[in-house]
């Protein structure tokens, strides 16, 4: 099998990683964020065309206030770091999720990142912030309901076009770090036939080598799509 075209990663385990070191959870987020740049570069070098990173879910707002505010500040900072990286590497960035729920400064940095990299043709870095798959599908249904007059017009392709991931192919490989084996409201529609890879490694320890291991595992899979 060729290298996966689209790899999606649930970045998990920052908090537990920090706690195991006797540090506050926010330290785990700071260290975890530092993995974004090297992993993005490594994905690009492997020939991956789309890399989706689940950074903040619609449910993550229910965490303690100080943790949420640290995450929002970190995300705003990484919009700038990602912009520099994307411009260096010829990559474009897309923000996936409900942008209307983002703090103003983060929204501004996110919009700048998308606009500054929109013309690039290299790997697409999809950063999922304030993202929840059920929320995405509801927003898509509302938009579709306003547009579509005849329900028979609605096909899988039509619906896909209303999702935040419009024009992005479904993930070939989903990686989740930290040993948890669940989807946690990530890309429920898009993951229909995605290969799943779970690793016990926490996100702050997820190296380029770990990414290669996941891709190698994918290359030995047999995707049948319901056929024989
Ligand atoms: C992933 O790490 C980062 C986010 C979900 C924002 P966690 O913060 O979920 O860390 P654990 O899973 O509690 O260890
Ligand atoms: C999923 O991780 C969300 C992100 C990685 C952004 P969580 O840590 O929030 O998921 P649960 O609560 O373990 O399912
Ligand atoms: Mg977690």
């Amino acid at each position: 099998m060729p290298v996966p075209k689209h790899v999606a990663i649930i970045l998990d385990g920052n908090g537990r990683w920090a706690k195991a070191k006797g540090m506050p959870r926010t330290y785990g987020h700071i260290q975890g964020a530092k993995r974004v740049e090297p992993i993005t570069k490594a994905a690009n070098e492997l020939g991956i065309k789309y890399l989706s990173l689940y950074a903040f879910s619609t449910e993550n707002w229910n965490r303690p206030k100080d943790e949420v505010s640290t995450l929002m500040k970190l995300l705003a900072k990484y919009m700038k770091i990602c912009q520099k990286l994307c411009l260096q590497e010829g990559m474009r960035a897309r923000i996936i999720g409900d942008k209307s729920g983002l703090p103003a400064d983060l929204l501004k940095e996110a919009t700048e990142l998308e606009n500054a990299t929109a013309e690039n043709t290299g790997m697409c870095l999809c950063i999922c912030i304030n993202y929840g798959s059920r929320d995405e599908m509801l927003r898509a249904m509302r938009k579709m309901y306003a547009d579509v007059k005849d329900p028979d017009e609605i096909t899988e392709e039509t619906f896909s076009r209303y999702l935040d991931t419009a024009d992005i192919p479904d993930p070939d490989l989903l990686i989740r770090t930290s040993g948890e084996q669940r989807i946690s409201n990530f890309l429920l529609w898009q993951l229909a036939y995605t290969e799943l890879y779970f690793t016990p490694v926490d996100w702050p320890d997820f190296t380029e080598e770990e990414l290669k291991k996941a891709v190698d595992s994918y290359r030995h899979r047999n995707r049948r799509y319901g056929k024989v």
Side-chain angles (χ1 to χ4, degrees), residues 120-192:
N120 286 347
T121 54
M123 188 179 83
C124 182
L125 175 63
C126 312
I127 309 174
C128 308
I129 310 175
N130 191 23
Y131 177 84
S133 190
R134 288 185 172 185
D135 174 71
E136 177 195 33
M137 286 197 262
L138 281 179
R139 285 186 287 109
M141 281 188 246
R142 286 188 201 116
K143 274 185 274 173
M144 203 167 61
Y145 184 77
D147 288 356
V148 176
K149 300 288 166 273
D150 176 5
D152 289 338
E153 275 175 38
I154 303 171
T155 62
E156 290 190 8
E157 286 68 33
T158 329
F159 184 61
S160 296
R161 277 205 300 277
Y162 282 90
L163 294 170
D164 298 343
T165 53
D167 306 320
I168 297 171
D170 290 343
D172 299 294
L173 172 66
L174 172 77
I175 300 171
R176 183 170 187 149
T177 59
S178 87
E180 304 299 355
Q181 301 191 5
R182 54 176 169 263
I183 303 296
S184 302
N185 205 9
F186 192 39
L187 303 174
L188 300 177
W189 170 271
Q190 298 87 338
L191 292 174

Side-chain angles (χ1 to χ4, degrees), residues 45-64:
E45 278 160 25
L46 284 169
I48 291 162
K49 299 294 177 210
Y50 296 83
L51 177 69
S52 294
L53 303 178
Y54 197 10
F56 193 90
S57 75
T58 45
E59 288 73 40
N60 288 150
W61 295 108
N62 300 318
R63 293 184 176 201

Side-chain angles (χ1 to χ4, degrees), residues 192-195 222-228:
Y193 271 102
T194 301
E195 296 295 323
N222 181 5
R223 303 181 77 182
R224 283 188 288 276
Y225 300 97
K227 300 174 199 163
V228 289

Side-chain angles (χ1 to χ4, degrees), residues 11-17 25 29 54-57 60 63 67 71 178 180 202:
L11 319 178
D12 199 16
N14 291 350
R16 281 165 285 156
W17 179 88
R25 291 176 56 84
H29 296 314
Y54 197 10
F56 193 90
S57 75
N60 288 150
R63 293 184 176 201
E67 181 170 345
L71 282 165
S178 87
E180 304 299 355
D202 287 323

Side-chain angles (χ1 to χ4, degrees), residues 37-126:
E37 204 172 345
I39 293 301
T40 304
K41 275 191 188 164
N44 193 24
E45 278 160 25
L46 284 169
I48 291 162
K49 299 294 177 210
Y50 296 83
L51 177 69
S52 294
L53 303 178
Y54 197 10
F56 193 90
S57 75
T58 45
E59 288 73 40
N60 288 150
W61 295 108
N62 300 318
R63 293 184 176 201
K65 245 184 165 169
D66 65 323
E67 181 170 345
V68 170
S69 104
T70 301
L71 282 165
M72 289 302 129
K73 278 184 205 130
L74 258 180
L75 283 163
K77 177 179 161 194
Y78 271 81
M79 293 299 108
K80 280 208 185 80
I81 293 174
C82 288
Q83 184 173 329
K84 196 167 159 229
L85 175 66
C86 285
L87 294 176
Q88 255 169 27
E89 309 277 328
M91 303 184 306
R92 72 209 139 107
R94 282 263 299 263
I95 306 300
I96 306 293
D98 185 3
K99 288 190 180 115
S100 72
L102 299 182
D105 54 335
L106 175 54
L107 178 63
K108 180 175 162 280
E109 299 295 349
T111 308
E112 254 180 61
L113 167 63
E114 282 189 318
N115 292 344
T117 63
E119 302 301 318
N120 286 347
T121 54
M123 188 179 83
C124 182
L125 175 63
C126 312

